[in-house]
Amino acid sequence: AQSVAQPEDQVNVAEGNPLTVKCTYSVSGNPYLFWYVQYPNRGLQFLLKYITGDNLVKGSYGFEAEFNKSQTSFHLKKPSALVSDSALYFCAVRVANSGNTPLVFGKGTRLSVIA
Amino acid sequence: DGGITQSPKYLFRKEGQNVTLSCEQNLNHDAMYWYRQDPGQGLRLIYYSQIVNDFQKGDIAEGYSVSREKKESFPLTVTSAQKNPTAFYLCASTIRSGAGPDEQFFGPGTRLTVL
């Protein structure tokens, strides 16, 4: 079985400060890991993914994520937060070489960036 | 929200009525998915389809039905057997079936309210 945990329901950060949204995963095998963002009453937008190779993945809107196999984590980061980054963020996982099975999502973390 | 359209955006239903949510994609994607989103619960998989005329149950399929008669269309019917259907419903697609690292693209969602 595969699962994702996002331990924080809410993250608050001041504008201009660095932000981190945490994600840990559990899979049998190697993971493919994804981050999505959702604005109110909208669908999810893809930010970035880790497949293999470099542990630091860069994505859209200045976001990046670091894959840590020993800690089974894939935390989302941004060096300087913007008010417009305020949204709901989802981490997702799929086991590598399992076919295109559906992604398993975490419960989401609401990010609030305060001006 | 890419090339996936969901209609209607808002839908109201009386108890005991079946209702069908539309999902159409012009991305030529093979696989399509339906998720249900409730506050604090993240995304839960209802059904998915890897190819035309084939689909599989997800984690919460009870009270729902789907069809995949055309590659571009994957409608979801919420039946009267679904005891708590009020939720935000998201349709997604993936370019290939059977290849693991592809991200899912999401539609804008349909908010269903049972009166």
Side-chain angles (χ1 to χ4, degrees):
Chain A
Q2 49 196 355
S3 65
V4 170
Q6 294 182 242
E8 301 158 316
D9 292 335
Q10 173 93 31
V11 171
N12 298 318
V13 64
E15 188 176 29
N17 282 2
L19 70 86
T20 299
V21 183
K22 296 180 180 178
C23 171
T24 59
Y25 66 90
S26 175
V27 298
S28 300
N30 293 319
Y32 296 138
L33 292 155
F34 303 77
W35 275 103
Y36 286 82
V37 61
Q38 185 183 34
Y39 297 98
N41 294 310
R42 301 289 298 276
L44 276 66
Q45 296 178 30
F46 170 73
L47 283 177
L48 51 79
K49 65 182 176 183
Y50 170 82
I51 301 173
T52 187
D54 194 346
N55 290 340
L56 185 64
V57 179
K58 293 188 182 297
S60 306
Y61 312 118
F63 284 94
E64 58 188 29
E66 186 168 12
F67 173 65
N68 188 317
K69 188 171 184 177
S70 64
Q71 297 186 5
T72 62
S73 67
F74 189 56
H75 300 333
L76 182 70
K77 300 181 180 183
K78 187 174 182 181
S80 178
L82 300 173
V83 172
S84 57
D85 293 329
S86 299
L88 188 57
Y89 290 82
F90 289 96
C91 182
V93 68
R94 178 191 291 132
V95 179
N97 303 317
S98 64
N100 233 14
T101 53
L103 294 177
V104 173
F105 286 84
K107 293 187 176 183
T109 297
R110 187 165 301 281
L111 173 67
S112 292
V113 181
I114 304 162
Chain B
D1 298 322
I4 303 176
T5 57
Q6 291 186 243
S7 60
K9 187 172 179 64
Y10 298 97
L11 186 58
F12 298 89
R13 186 193 97 175
K14 293 182 179 179
E15 281 192 33
Q17 288 181 336
N18 293 354
V19 63
T20 297
L21 281 60
S22 170
C23 178
E24 303 279 333
Q25 53 99 357
N26 62 2
L27 302 169
N28 199 32
H29 284 184
D30 287 336
M32 298 185 74
Y33 312 84
W34 274 105
Y35 290 90
R36 169 179 172 145
Q37 185 178 13
D38 297 282
Q41 296 197 47
L43 274 68
R44 293 183 290 168
L45 182 67
I46 305 173
Y47 269 98
Y48 66 103
S49 168
Q50 301 275 34
I51 195 169
V52 174
N53 292 321
D54 187 44
F55 48 83
Q56 289 80 41
K57 292 182 179 180
D59 300 319
I60 56 166
E62 185 176 352
Y64 300 97
S65 66
V66 293
S67 63
R68 187 87 186 278
E69 297 176 359
K70 299 185 297 181
K71 186 176 184 178
E72 58 270 23
S73 179
F74 191 41
L76 173 74
T77 297
V78 184
T79 75
S80 56
Q82 170 49 236
K83 297 306 179 187
N84 186 22
T86 294
F88 191 52
Y89 290 86
L90 288 161
C91 179
S93 68
T94 307
I95 189 168
R96 295 173 291 181
S97 58
D102 301 328
E103 61 268 28
Q104 290 178 188
F105 292 80
F106 282 81
T110 291
R111 186 167 297 281
L112 173 64
T113 303
V114 175
L115 303 173

